[in-house]
Amino acid sequence: MFSLAVFVSGRGSNLNSILNAPKLRNLIEVKAVVSNKADCQAFDIAKNHFIPVYNVGYKEGFLSFDELGNLFYSLKIDLIVLAGFLKLIPDSFVKSFKNKIINIHPALLPSFGGNGMYGMNVHKAVFDASAQISGASVHFVDETYDTGKIIAQRCVDISDAQSHEELAERVLKIEHQLLPFVIEKFALGKVFVDKTRVRVLN
Ligand code: GAR
């Protein structure tokens, strides 16, 4: 089994999409769900699946990123998936897990990314710019927000969207397809990184 750790901060619908993807059922195991929040809806989803949950950060009783890294080595985690995790990952942790951390972003990077661009802020910016398409991007995590190499993207027509909330709903549907798709490709050893591009084989 291909072992995952999933980082979350809130609702957990992307975590849910991973846990319920038929193609991932016999391919992956989510060994840890990690949050910067003491409690969040995503933790309830994890607990319903009997997946251990951990807190990371600088608050009392939380694991440090160094401790979490050691835990991941002992659990033999193959891939770390940021699924709605809204904190910056420290440089040292990124370096320890080079090309093993991916993030889903609810827009077509490299536009509409960066510090403060998360959740509804992203959809509002896309809507207010009058963009006619949006979508989701899965990318490698590097030391800054949303700048790592893009692995896969899907787009959606938003030319007739009436509000940023409606736009968000359309993008979320795409996210729930894209993230399991990318994880499946990693689990099958079909993601390759060369100097300039990421290649995902069919
Ligand atoms: C998702 O839309 C995800 O793309 C976004 O947070 C939401 C989490 O929803 N992530 C970011 O904005 C990161 N920059 P979920 O908790 O229901 O999966």
Side-chain angles (χ1 to χ4, degrees):
M1 288 286 223
F2 189 77
S3 297
L4 298 187
V6 181
F7 284 43
V8 292
S9 292
R11 178 179 55 183
S13 72
N14 278 289
L15 170 65
N16 210 34
S17 77
I18 297 168
L19 295 170
N20 290 313
K23 285 187 173 175
L24 297 182
R25 197 159 297 146
N26 297 315
L27 203 57
I28 63 127
E29 182 184 358
V30 178
K31 287 190 174 166
V33 170
V34 177
S35 183
N36 58 312
K37 300 266 177 69
D39 207 6
C40 58
Q41 255 177 285
F43 268 5
D44 296 334
I45 296 171
K47 287 172 190 166
N48 285 338
H49 284 80
F50 305 102
I51 301 167
V53 298
Y54 303 91
N55 279 124
V56 70
Y58 307 101
K59 292 185 184 151
E60 209 184 315
F62 283 21
L63 294 177
S64 67
F65 274 92
D66 282 350
E67 287 167 331
L68 196 64
N70 290 334
L71 174 72
F72 287 178
Y73 286 127
S74 68
L75 292 174
K76 296 190 169 43
I77 296 295
D78 297 302
L79 187 69
I80 298 162
V81 179
L82 310 191
F85 186 70
L86 303 180
K87 288 275 172 202
L88 192 65
I89 303 285
D91 290 9
S92 57
F93 193 87
V94 171
K95 284 196 178 76
S96 305
F97 294 95
K98 190 171 162 48
N99 287 345
K100 287 191 170 186
I101 313 176
I102 64 172
N103 177 50
I104 184 146
H105 184 76
L108 295 173
L109 292 173
S111 295
F112 302 109
N115 195 7
M117 285 300 239
Y118 58 85
M120 275 302 172
N121 296 352
V122 178
H123 301 302
K124 199 165 182 318
V126 171
F127 190 78
D128 289 348
S130 187
Q132 304 293 309
I133 55 166
S134 191
S137 306
V138 176
H139 64 94
F140 281 111
V141 171
D142 65 8
E143 286 80 359
T144 49
Y145 282 110
D146 303 325
T147 54
K149 277 190 192 293
I150 296 165
I151 302 163
Q153 295 179 299
R154 294 280 182 278
C155 58
V156 59
D157 185 347
I158 53 161
S159 56
D160 61 347
Q162 299 297 315
S163 65
H164 63 272
E165 289 91 351
E166 187 185 335
L167 193 167
E169 269 176 41
R170 290 190 197 179
V171 171
L172 194 64
K173 275 194 193 135
I174 302 270
E175 291 185 51
H176 294 164
Q177 296 162 10
L178 184 65
L179 191 55
F181 165 82
V182 171
I183 291 168
E184 184 193 0
K185 293 295 180 185
F186 270 96
L188 296 173
K190 292 188 170 186
V191 180
F192 297 92
V193 188
D194 67 28
K195 278 201 188 106
T196 51
R197 292 187 69 79
V198 178
R199 311 229 173 247
V200 179
L201 303 185
N202 284 329

